[in-house]
Amino acid sequence: MGVVLLGVSLLTYGMIFITPGDPARTILTQQMGGQTPSPEAVEQFRAANGLDDPFPVQYARWMGGVVQGDFGQSYYSDQSVTAMIVQRLPNTIELAVASMLVAIAIAVPAGIASAVNPGSRTDYAAQFGALLGVSMPNFWLGFLLIIVCSLWLDIFPVAGAGGFEYLVLPALTLGSGMAAVITRLVRTAMLDALDAAYIRTARSKGLLERIVVYKHAFRNALVPVVTVIGLQLSYVLNGAVVVEVVFQRPGLGTLLVDAIFARDYPIVQGVTLLVGVIFVVTNFAVDLTYRRLDPRIDHRSEPA
C-alpha cells in the first residue's frame, strides 16, 4: 500500500506541475485587482515560492512537508493548507456519511425486495428507480430538489451548512446515484444466492422465509455488495465536489473548485492527495473485511 500511496502523491504533484499557465502571474493579477503585474514582481513571487526549481526539487520539498502533515501555504491567502483542509473536512465527511446512509437505506431493501419477487411490480419499480437514479446527473437533481423543496415548498434551506436541515437535500442528491448502483448489485447478488443449493436445503428444513432470505442468502451476497460500497467512496468524494458547489456547502469540494479557478496549486495538490489516500485506504479496509464476511477468502499468499 505504501508504494501505491507514493504513486498517488507523485501523480498528484506531477499533474499539477505540467498544468498550463503561470500561477505566479494569475495570483498577482488577482491580488492587484486585475492589473497586469510587472515581470519583476512575477519573478520575485516565483522565487519566493520555489516555482523556479526543477520538478524533483519541488516534489521532494513538498513531500518532506506532507510526511509531517504540512501541505504548504496557500498562494492566494498565505494560510496553511493543512489548516484550511482541517476546517473544511468535517462538512465533507458529514455529507459523505449521510449520503452513504441514504444510499444503503434505499438500495438494500429495494434490491432484496426486487430479488425475492422477480418479475413482479416491485421488481419492475426497483429496476426503473435504479435506472432513473443512474441516468440523472447530480447537478440536475440538486437544482430540481432546490426548486421543489426550497423555493416551492419552502421546507429546506437553499444553500449553506449548519443543522440537519442543511444536510437533507445534499445527502439525497449524492445518495440517489449510489443507491441506484447498489440496488442493481444487491438484486443480482441476491438472485444468485437464492438459487444456490444451500438455500433449497434451508427451505426444505422448514425455516421461515425471512430467515432464509436475510440470514443465509443476504449474508452470502454481501461480499460483492461491500466491494461496490467501498468503491462508491470515490463516487462520494467526486460527487461531493459538484454537490457542494450546487448547495454552496463549505467543504473540500468548494475549496478545491475555488483553488482551481484561482490556480492556488498547494490547495489543489493537498485536497487531491487527501482524496487519493482516503480512496486507497478504504479499498484496503474493504479487502480486509472480506475475511469476516466469507471465511473461505484468505488474503495470505499460497506457499510456493
PDB file of all heavy atoms in Angstrom, residues 150-176:
ATOM      1  N   SER A 150     -37.127  23.758  -1.754  1.00  0.00           N
ATOM      2  CA  SER A 150     -36.709  25.016  -1.131  1.00  0.00           C
ATOM      3  C   SER A 150     -37.518  26.213  -1.615  1.00  0.00           C
ATOM      4  O   SER A 150     -37.994  27.024  -0.807  1.00  0.00           O
ATOM      5  CB  SER A 150     -35.220  25.262  -1.394  1.00  0.00           C
ATOM      6  OG  SER A 150     -34.429  24.240  -0.825  1.00  0.00           O
ATOM      7  N   LEU A 151     -37.693  26.333  -2.940  1.00  0.00           N
ATOM      8  CA  LEU A 151     -38.368  27.507  -3.483  1.00  0.00           C
ATOM      9  C   LEU A 151     -39.885  27.358  -3.487  1.00  0.00           C
ATOM     10  O   LEU A 151     -40.610  28.281  -3.119  1.00  0.00           O
ATOM     11  CB  LEU A 151     -37.850  27.785  -4.901  1.00  0.00           C
ATOM     12  CG  LEU A 151     -36.342  28.034  -5.020  1.00  0.00           C
ATOM     13  CD1 LEU A 151     -35.968  28.347  -6.457  1.00  0.00           C
ATOM     14  CD2 LEU A 151     -35.909  29.174  -4.098  1.00  0.00           C
ATOM     15  N   TRP A 152     -40.376  26.179  -3.903  1.00  0.00           N
ATOM     16  CA  TRP A 152     -41.827  25.982  -3.964  1.00  0.00           C
ATOM     17  C   TRP A 152     -42.420  25.662  -2.596  1.00  0.00           C
ATOM     18  O   TRP A 152     -43.357  26.311  -2.150  1.00  0.00           O
ATOM     19  CB  TRP A 152     -42.183  24.884  -4.959  1.00  0.00           C
ATOM     20  CG  TRP A 152     -41.934  25.249  -6.389  1.00  0.00           C
ATOM     21  CD1 TRP A 152     -41.498  26.452  -6.861  1.00  0.00           C
ATOM     22  CD2 TRP A 152     -42.102  24.405  -7.528  1.00  0.00           C
ATOM     23  NE1 TRP A 152     -41.379  26.415  -8.230  1.00  0.00           N
ATOM     24  CE2 TRP A 152     -41.746  25.167  -8.679  1.00  0.00           C
ATOM     25  CE3 TRP A 152     -42.509  23.099  -7.704  1.00  0.00           C
ATOM     26  CZ2 TRP A 152     -41.787  24.643  -9.953  1.00  0.00           C
ATOM     27  CZ3 TRP A 152     -42.562  22.567  -8.985  1.00  0.00           C
ATOM     28  CH2 TRP A 152     -42.203  23.334 -10.102  1.00  0.00           C
ATOM     29  N   LEU A 153     -41.879  24.633  -1.947  1.00  0.00           N
ATOM     30  CA  LEU A 153     -42.458  24.157  -0.688  1.00  0.00           C
ATOM     31  C   LEU A 153     -41.857  24.843   0.533  1.00  0.00           C
ATOM     32  O   LEU A 153     -42.444  24.781   1.623  1.00  0.00           O
ATOM     33  CB  LEU A 153     -42.278  22.641  -0.571  1.00  0.00           C
ATOM     34  CG  LEU A 153     -42.893  21.803  -1.703  1.00  0.00           C
ATOM     35  CD1 LEU A 153     -42.619  20.320  -1.477  1.00  0.00           C
ATOM     36  CD2 LEU A 153     -44.394  22.054  -1.796  1.00  0.00           C
ATOM     37  N   ASP A 154     -40.699  25.451   0.384  1.00  0.00           N
ATOM     38  CA  ASP A 154     -40.021  26.153   1.484  1.00  0.00           C
ATOM     39  C   ASP A 154     -39.842  25.247   2.706  1.00  0.00           C
ATOM     40  O   ASP A 154     -40.085  25.654   3.844  1.00  0.00           O
ATOM     41  CB  ASP A 154     -40.803  27.412   1.869  1.00  0.00           C
ATOM     42  CG  ASP A 154     -39.963  28.358   2.719  1.00  0.00           C
ATOM     43  OD1 ASP A 154     -38.717  28.271   2.650  1.00  0.00           O
ATOM     44  OD2 ASP A 154     -40.553  29.154   3.468  1.00  0.00           O
ATOM     45  N   ILE A 155     -39.364  24.014   2.464  1.00  0.00           N
ATOM     46  CA  ILE A 155     -39.151  23.058   3.555  1.00  0.00           C
ATOM     47  C   ILE A 155     -37.707  23.099   4.040  1.00  0.00           C
ATOM     48  O   ILE A 155     -37.448  23.106   5.246  1.00  0.00           O
ATOM     49  CB  ILE A 155     -39.506  21.622   3.096  1.00  0.00           C
ATOM     50  CG1 ILE A 155     -40.968  21.554   2.664  1.00  0.00           C
ATOM     51  CG2 ILE A 155     -39.233  20.621   4.215  1.00  0.00           C
ATOM     52  CD1 ILE A 155     -41.363  20.197   2.098  1.00  0.00           C
ATOM     53  N   PHE A 156     -36.760  23.115   3.106  1.00  0.00           N
ATOM     54  CA  PHE A 156     -35.339  23.081   3.445  1.00  0.00           C
ATOM     55  C   PHE A 156     -34.646  24.324   2.898  1.00  0.00           C
ATOM     56  O   PHE A 156     -35.090  24.914   1.909  1.00  0.00           O
ATOM     57  CB  PHE A 156     -34.680  21.821   2.855  1.00  0.00           C
ATOM     58  CG  PHE A 156     -35.279  20.539   3.352  1.00  0.00           C
ATOM     59  CD1 PHE A 156     -36.084  19.769   2.529  1.00  0.00           C
ATOM     60  CD2 PHE A 156     -35.042  20.103   4.641  1.00  0.00           C
ATOM     61  CE1 PHE A 156     -36.646  18.587   2.977  1.00  0.00           C
ATOM     62  CE2 PHE A 156     -35.593  18.922   5.101  1.00  0.00           C
ATOM     63  CZ  PHE A 156     -36.403  18.161   4.275  1.00  0.00           C
ATOM     64  N   PRO A 157     -33.545  24.742   3.552  1.00  0.00           N
ATOM     65  CA  PRO A 157     -32.794  25.912   3.058  1.00  0.00           C
ATOM     66  C   PRO A 157     -32.142  25.636   1.710  1.00  0.00           C
ATOM     67  O   PRO A 157     -31.843  24.476   1.370  1.00  0.00           O
ATOM     68  CB  PRO A 157     -31.739  26.140   4.149  1.00  0.00           C
ATOM     69  CG  PRO A 157     -31.620  24.838   4.860  1.00  0.00           C
ATOM     70  CD  PRO A 157     -32.970  24.195   4.789  1.00  0.00           C
ATOM     71  N   VAL A 158     -31.915  26.692   0.959  1.00  0.00           N
ATOM     72  CA  VAL A 158     -31.361  26.551  -0.386  1.00  0.00           C
ATOM     73  C   VAL A 158     -29.898  26.145  -0.353  1.00  0.00           C
ATOM     74  O   VAL A 158     -29.466  25.260  -1.096  1.00  0.00           O
ATOM     75  CB  VAL A 158     -31.516  27.874  -1.170  1.00  0.00           C
ATOM     76  CG1 VAL A 158     -30.829  27.772  -2.531  1.00  0.00           C
ATOM     77  CG2 VAL A 158     -32.984  28.211  -1.339  1.00  0.00           C
ATOM     78  N   ALA A 159     -29.119  26.768   0.509  1.00  0.00           N
ATOM     79  CA  ALA A 159     -27.676  26.532   0.489  1.00  0.00           C
ATOM     80  C   ALA A 159     -27.101  26.758   1.877  1.00  0.00           C
ATOM     81  O   ALA A 159     -27.776  27.246   2.791  1.00  0.00           O
ATOM     82  CB  ALA A 159     -26.993  27.466  -0.521  1.00  0.00           C
ATOM     83  N   GLY A 160     -25.817  26.371   2.017  1.00  0.00           N
ATOM     84  CA  GLY A 160     -25.112  26.600   3.269  1.00  0.00           C
ATOM     85  C   GLY A 160     -24.907  25.317   4.043  1.00  0.00           C
ATOM     86  O   GLY A 160     -25.164  24.213   3.560  1.00  0.00           O
ATOM     87  N   ALA A 161     -24.420  25.464   5.255  1.00  0.00           N
ATOM     88  CA  ALA A 161     -24.172  24.325   6.138  1.00  0.00           C
ATOM     89  C   ALA A 161     -24.535  24.733   7.553  1.00  0.00           C
ATOM     90  O   ALA A 161     -24.450  25.906   7.918  1.00  0.00           O
ATOM     91  CB  ALA A 161     -22.711  23.882   6.067  1.00  0.00           C
ATOM     92  N   GLY A 162     -24.958  23.754   8.337  1.00  0.00           N
ATOM     93  CA  GLY A 162     -25.361  24.046   9.704  1.00  0.00           C
ATOM     94  C   GLY A 162     -26.012  22.845  10.331  1.00  0.00           C
ATOM     95  O   GLY A 162     -25.372  21.808  10.528  1.00  0.00           O
ATOM     96  N   GLY A 163     -27.306  22.940  10.598  1.00  0.00           N
ATOM     97  CA  GLY A 163     -28.026  21.847  11.220  1.00  0.00           C
ATOM     98  C   GLY A 163     -28.444  20.767  10.234  1.00  0.00           C
ATOM     99  O   GLY A 163     -28.047  20.758   9.062  1.00  0.00           O
ATOM    100  N   PHE A 164     -29.301  19.880  10.725  1.00  0.00           N
ATOM    101  CA  PHE A 164     -29.760  18.738   9.928  1.00  0.00           C
ATOM    102  C   PHE A 164     -30.470  19.180   8.659  1.00  0.00           C
ATOM    103  O   PHE A 164     -30.352  18.531   7.613  1.00  0.00           O
ATOM    104  CB  PHE A 164     -30.691  17.874  10.792  1.00  0.00           C
ATOM    105  CG  PHE A 164     -31.331  16.736  10.055  1.00  0.00           C
ATOM    106  CD1 PHE A 164     -30.604  15.588   9.752  1.00  0.00           C
ATOM    107  CD2 PHE A 164     -32.652  16.813   9.648  1.00  0.00           C
ATOM    108  CE1 PHE A 164     -31.195  14.548   9.072  1.00  0.00           C
ATOM    109  CE2 PHE A 164     -33.249  15.769   8.967  1.00  0.00           C
ATOM    110  CZ  PHE A 164     -32.518  14.627   8.674  1.00  0.00           C
ATOM    111  N   GLU A 165     -31.214  20.267   8.743  1.00  0.00           N
ATOM    112  CA  GLU A 165     -31.999  20.711   7.582  1.00  0.00           C
ATOM    113  C   GLU A 165     -31.115  21.092   6.398  1.00  0.00           C
ATOM    114  O   GLU A 165     -31.544  21.008   5.246  1.00  0.00           O
ATOM    115  CB  GLU A 165     -32.902  21.888   7.956  1.00  0.00           C
ATOM    116  CG  GLU A 165     -32.173  23.162   8.346  1.00  0.00           C
ATOM    117  CD  GLU A 165     -31.765  23.203   9.805  1.00  0.00           C
ATOM    118  OE1 GLU A 165     -31.850  22.148  10.472  1.00  0.00           O
ATOM    119  OE2 GLU A 165     -31.344  24.284  10.274  1.00  0.00           O
ATOM    120  N   TYR A 166     -29.871  21.504   6.663  1.00  0.00           N
ATOM    121  CA  TYR A 166     -28.961  21.854   5.581  1.00  0.00           C
ATOM    122  C   TYR A 166     -28.349  20.618   4.913  1.00  0.00           C
ATOM    123  O   TYR A 166     -27.754  20.735   3.843  1.00  0.00           O
ATOM    124  CB  TYR A 166     -27.822  22.723   6.109  1.00  0.00           C
ATOM    125  CG  TYR A 166     -28.228  24.126   6.462  1.00  0.00           C
ATOM    126  CD1 TYR A 166     -28.629  24.448   7.751  1.00  0.00           C
ATOM    127  CD2 TYR A 166     -28.219  25.138   5.509  1.00  0.00           C
ATOM    128  CE1 TYR A 166     -29.003  25.742   8.088  1.00  0.00           C
ATOM    129  CE2 TYR A 166     -28.591  26.434   5.841  1.00  0.00           C
ATOM    130  CZ  TYR A 166     -28.989  26.723   7.132  1.00  0.00           C
ATOM    131  OH  TYR A 166     -29.355  28.005   7.454  1.00  0.00           O
ATOM    132  N   LEU A 167     -28.481  19.465   5.549  1.00  0.00           N
ATOM    133  CA  LEU A 167     -27.842  18.239   5.054  1.00  0.00           C
ATOM    134  C   LEU A 167     -28.771  17.376   4.213  1.00  0.00           C
ATOM    135  O   LEU A 167     -28.306  16.556   3.420  1.00  0.00           O
ATOM    136  CB  LEU A 167     -27.321  17.432   6.252  1.00  0.00           C
ATOM    137  CG  LEU A 167     -26.482  16.194   5.983  1.00  0.00           C
ATOM    138  CD1 LEU A 167     -25.208  16.550   5.216  1.00  0.00           C
ATOM    139  CD2 LEU A 167     -26.129  15.496   7.293  1.00  0.00           C
ATOM    140  N   VAL A 168     -30.083  17.546   4.371  1.00  0.00           N
ATOM    141  CA  VAL A 168     -31.049  16.637   3.756  1.00  0.00           C
ATOM    142  C   VAL A 168     -30.948  16.637   2.228  1.00  0.00           C
ATOM    143  O   VAL A 168     -30.762  15.583   1.601  1.00  0.00           O
ATOM    144  CB  VAL A 168     -32.483  16.993   4.195  1.00  0.00           C
ATOM    145  CG1 VAL A 168     -33.502  16.128   3.440  1.00  0.00           C
ATOM    146  CG2 VAL A 168     -32.637  16.798   5.692  1.00  0.00           C
ATOM    147  N   LEU A 169     -31.066  17.788   1.608  1.00  0.00           N
ATOM    148  CA  LEU A 169     -31.061  17.843   0.144  1.00  0.00           C
ATOM    149  C   LEU A 169     -29.714  17.424  -0.457  1.00  0.00           C
ATOM    150  O   LEU A 169     -29.698  16.642  -1.428  1.00  0.00           O
ATOM    151  CB  LEU A 169     -31.443  19.250  -0.332  1.00  0.00           C
ATOM    152  CG  LEU A 169     -32.864  19.711   0.012  1.00  0.00           C
ATOM    153  CD1 LEU A 169     -33.157  21.058  -0.642  1.00  0.00           C
ATOM    154  CD2 LEU A 169     -33.886  18.669  -0.422  1.00  0.00           C
ATOM    155  N   PRO A 170     -28.568  17.893   0.053  1.00  0.00           N
ATOM    156  CA  PRO A 170     -27.295  17.401  -0.492  1.00  0.00           C
ATOM    157  C   PRO A 170     -27.127  15.894  -0.341  1.00  0.00           C
ATOM    158  O   PRO A 170     -26.623  15.229  -1.256  1.00  0.00           O
ATOM    159  CB  PRO A 170     -26.234  18.162   0.322  1.00  0.00           C
ATOM    160  CG  PRO A 170     -26.922  19.392   0.782  1.00  0.00           C
ATOM    161  CD  PRO A 170     -28.334  18.992   1.026  1.00  0.00           C
ATOM    162  N   ALA A 171     -27.550  15.335   0.803  1.00  0.00           N
ATOM    163  CA  ALA A 171     -27.410  13.891   1.007  1.00  0.00           C
ATOM    164  C   ALA A 171     -28.307  13.104   0.055  1.00  0.00           C
ATOM    165  O   ALA A 171     -27.897  12.070  -0.491  1.00  0.00           O
ATOM    166  CB  ALA A 171     -27.731  13.531   2.458  1.00  0.00           C
ATOM    167  N   LEU A 172     -29.511  13.578  -0.172  1.00  0.00           N
ATOM    168  CA  LEU A 172     -30.406  12.916  -1.129  1.00  0.00           C
ATOM    169  C   LEU A 172     -29.851  13.012  -2.542  1.00  0.00           C
ATOM    170  O   LEU A 172     -29.919  12.049  -3.321  1.00  0.00           O
ATOM    171  CB  LEU A 172     -31.793  13.554  -1.074  1.00  0.00           C
ATOM    172  CG  LEU A 172     -32.661  13.226   0.140  1.00  0.00           C
ATOM    173  CD1 LEU A 172     -33.945  14.042   0.117  1.00  0.00           C
ATOM    174  CD2 LEU A 172     -32.979  11.734   0.189  1.00  0.00           C
ATOM    175  N   THR A 173     -29.308  14.160  -2.881  1.00  0.00           N
ATOM    176  CA  THR A 173     -28.740  14.356  -4.219  1.00  0.00           C
ATOM    177  C   THR A 173     -27.581  13.406  -4.471  1.00  0.00           C
ATOM    178  O   THR A 173     -27.510  12.755  -5.519  1.00  0.00           O
ATOM    179  CB  THR A 173     -28.261  15.808  -4.386  1.00  0.00           C
ATOM    180  OG1 THR A 173     -29.354  16.695  -4.173  1.00  0.00           O
ATOM    181  CG2 THR A 173     -27.691  16.028  -5.775  1.00  0.00           C
ATOM    182  N   LEU A 174     -26.670  13.324  -3.521  1.00  0.00           N
ATOM    183  CA  LEU A 174     -25.484  12.483  -3.696  1.00  0.00           C
ATOM    184  C   LEU A 174     -25.790  11.011  -3.481  1.00  0.00           C
ATOM    185  O   LEU A 174     -25.198  10.145  -4.126  1.00  0.00           O
ATOM    186  CB  LEU A 174     -24.395  12.943  -2.720  1.00  0.00           C
ATOM    187  CG  LEU A 174     -22.993  12.376  -2.894  1.00  0.00           C
ATOM    188  CD1 LEU A 174     -22.490  12.583  -4.322  1.00  0.00           C
ATOM    189  CD2 LEU A 174     -22.035  13.012  -1.906  1.00  0.00           C
ATOM    190  N   GLY A 175     -26.717  10.709  -2.577  1.00  0.00           N
ATOM    191  CA  GLY A 175     -27.015   9.316  -2.258  1.00  0.00           C
ATOM    192  C   GLY A 175     -27.855   8.597  -3.296  1.00  0.00           C
ATOM    193  O   GLY A 175     -27.798   7.368  -3.407  1.00  0.00           O
ATOM    194  N   SER A 176     -28.624   9.332  -4.089  1.00  0.00           N
ATOM    195  CA  SER A 176     -29.526   8.688  -5.055  1.00  0.00           C
ATOM    196  C   SER A 176     -28.753   7.936  -6.130  1.00  0.00           C
ATOM    197  O   SER A 176     -29.132   6.832  -6.530  1.00  0.00           O
ATOM    198  CB  SER A 176     -30.439   9.737  -5.689  1.00  0.00           C
ATOM    199  OG  SER A 176     -29.672  10.711  -6.382  1.00  0.00           O
TER     200      SER A 176
END
